Amino acid sequence: MSYIKMFFENSIGIPFSFSVISKKLKTHLELIMALTSGLLILLAWIFHETPSETPSIILLLTAFIVGGYAKAKEGIIETIKEKKLNVELLMVLAAIGSASIGHWTEGGAILIFIFALSGALETYTENKSSHELKALMDLQPETANLLLNNKVQKVPVANLKIGDHILIKAGERIPTDGLIVKGHTSVDESALTGESLPVTKSKEEAVFASTINLNGNITVRIHTLPSQTLFQKIIQLVQQAQAERSRSQAFIERFENSYVKVVLGMVAMMMVIPHFLLDWSWNDTIYRAMILLVVASPCALVASIMPATLSAISSSARNGVLFKGGGAHLETLGRSTQLPLIKQEP
């Protein structure tokens, strides 16, 4: 491994760290497994033309395991923990049922691949949102220079109280909201406003947490607790936005338990009743029951929501439109029947 590290650092000039690579792989593991599943299905389709079907079946079985592991685990754990069925479990059962009647590729492996890819995209979005929120929270200073009896003491920001005086040196982040009582400076408020130009601040003017004091020492009297600053309120809004679900996602989460029960109940009846009432053979009965299970699986509905949302958000961002709440507000905009008129200047 040391040779690999030396190759990257000396030959290519890229700092190499196995821990960083391991962390990256772990973060994107679900997406890697989904794409690997798709590649295995493609290879199985190529080997399908060979005289022996064994290589193709082995590849498809591997695709089942690689692509379906994450969702199968999630579905089983959620079912045991919350005592209710979910679409993840239904998808896995549908894929197994499809394979049991010989449709390894059409209804089994491809079903698993589509569902795994959709889940991986959702996980990727959640991880990205968590990373962005962590980066936002990292902007908050952990300590402050508290002035007591004309002496400076470094204390945790959480210990500051309203009325305390703190010293903020040039280049430091402001730990909490307050008013300048001594000095003047320029402040970088881009963390709050997005404006890159510094704002001049002097005595009796307000400064805000997580902004940067650029070029002068100032003394600030705290008028807001660190847990109630404007920056903290922005973080809370971001957290609320991340927790929002689109109307389609909320509908699926609310409806899936009942839907899965109905589908499995119909499949169970289909496996027994036609044999006695319609005089079908057991082979025909089970075969058609498995077809019903595959057809009734909401694969297209579940898998379409996240890619469509990501595509819309990305397309909007390229055109300068940003959505705080993601899919929830996109769907609201999509249901709008009238767009606001923009007055054009002559």
Side-chain angles (χ1 to χ4, degrees), residues 164-345:
D164 285 346
H165 286 66
I166 55 175
L167 174 67
I168 304 167
K169 300 178 182 179
E172 292 183 341
R173 286 192 180 272
I174 298 171
T176 188
D177 297 354
L179 292 176
I180 298 176
V181 296
K182 182 180 179 182
H184 63 276
T185 186
S186 295
V187 178
D188 179 2
E189 296 185 339
S190 59
L192 294 179
T193 65
E195 176 58 59
S196 59
L197 295 177
V199 180
T200 302
K201 300 282 185 176
S202 56
K203 191 174 179 179
E204 296 302 319
E205 288 193 285
V207 291
F208 302 99
S210 298
T211 58
I212 303 174
N213 177 28
L214 294 177
N215 53 16
N217 294 348
I218 55 175
T219 302
V220 173
R221 183 178 69 250
I222 297 172
H223 63 54
T224 304
L225 291 175
S227 60
Q228 299 174 358
T229 62
L230 178 61
F231 190 75
Q232 280 292 335
K233 291 178 180 178
I234 291 175
I235 290 178
Q236 291 171 8
L237 286 173
V238 173
Q239 290 174 326
Q240 291 173 7
Q242 290 180 353
E244 288 185 33
R245 295 287 185 182
S246 67
R247 191 173 181 179
S248 299
Q249 287 175 304
F251 170 76
I252 289 175
E253 291 175 359
R254 185 173 62 251
F255 183 66
E256 65 177 345
N257 184 43
S258 301
Y259 180 80
V260 173
K261 288 180 180 178
V262 170
V263 170
L264 292 180
M266 291 176 62
V267 170
M269 289 189 294
M270 187 73 177
M271 293 179 69
V272 178
I273 295 176
H275 174 73
F276 296 102
L277 294 184
L278 302 177
D279 200 26
W280 291 0
S281 67
W282 281 114
N283 286 338
D284 286 343
T285 303
I286 295 174
Y287 183 85
R288 296 185 185 188
M290 292 300 101
I291 291 176
L292 173 63
L293 179 61
V294 173
V295 172
S297 298
C299 181
L301 178 61
V302 174
S304 64
I305 294 174
M306 186 52 62
T309 301
L310 289 174
S311 176
I313 291 175
S314 300
S315 178
S316 300
R318 285 195 298 269
N319 289 280
V321 180
L322 302 177
F323 289 88
K324 185 190 77 173
H329 301 307
L330 276 170
E331 288 197 1
T332 301
L333 182 61
R335 293 193 301 272
S336 300
T337 57
Q338 183 177 0
L339 295 176
L341 296 177
I342 301 175
K343 184 179 179 181
Q344 298 291 333
E345 294 295 334

Side-chain angles (χ1 to χ4, degrees), residues 42-171:
L42 179 61
L43 292 174
W45 178 76
I46 294 173
F47 279 101
H48 184 67
E49 301 299 327
T50 59
S52 174
E53 292 187 357
T54 303
S56 177
I57 293 176
I58 291 174
L59 288 169
L60 289 173
L61 185 59
T62 307
F64 267 64
I65 298 171
V66 172
Y69 172 77
K71 282 300 174 183
K73 180 181 177 181
E74 179 183 336
I76 293 170
I77 291 176
E78 186 177 333
T79 299
I80 296 173
K81 185 177 179 181
E82 300 186 9
K83 302 294 189 296
K84 64 179 184 180
L85 301 173
N86 50 67
V87 291
E88 285 83 2
L89 195 61
L90 181 60
M91 291 292 177
V92 173
L93 292 175
I96 294 173
S98 177
S100 68
I101 58 175
H103 292 274
W104 287 85
T105 305
E106 305 88 358
I110 292 179
L111 185 68
I112 288 288
F113 169 67
I114 293 174
F115 198 58
L117 185 60
S118 174
L121 289 174
E122 184 175 359
T123 302
Y124 171 78
T125 305
E126 291 173 354
N127 290 341
K128 186 177 180 182
S129 298
S130 299
H131 177 75
E132 290 172 351
L133 181 60
K134 184 178 181 301
L136 191 63
M137 296 178 69
D138 287 343
L139 295 178
Q140 302 175 103
E142 295 182 356
T143 59
N145 299 316
L146 178 64
L147 289 172
L148 282 175
N149 301 322
N150 294 323
K151 293 183 179 180
V152 178
Q153 295 182 8
K154 193 171 285 293
V155 297
V157 171
N159 293 348
L160 296 176
K161 300 183 292 293
I162 294 176
D164 285 346
H165 286 66
I166 55 175
L167 174 67
I168 304 167
K169 300 178 182 179

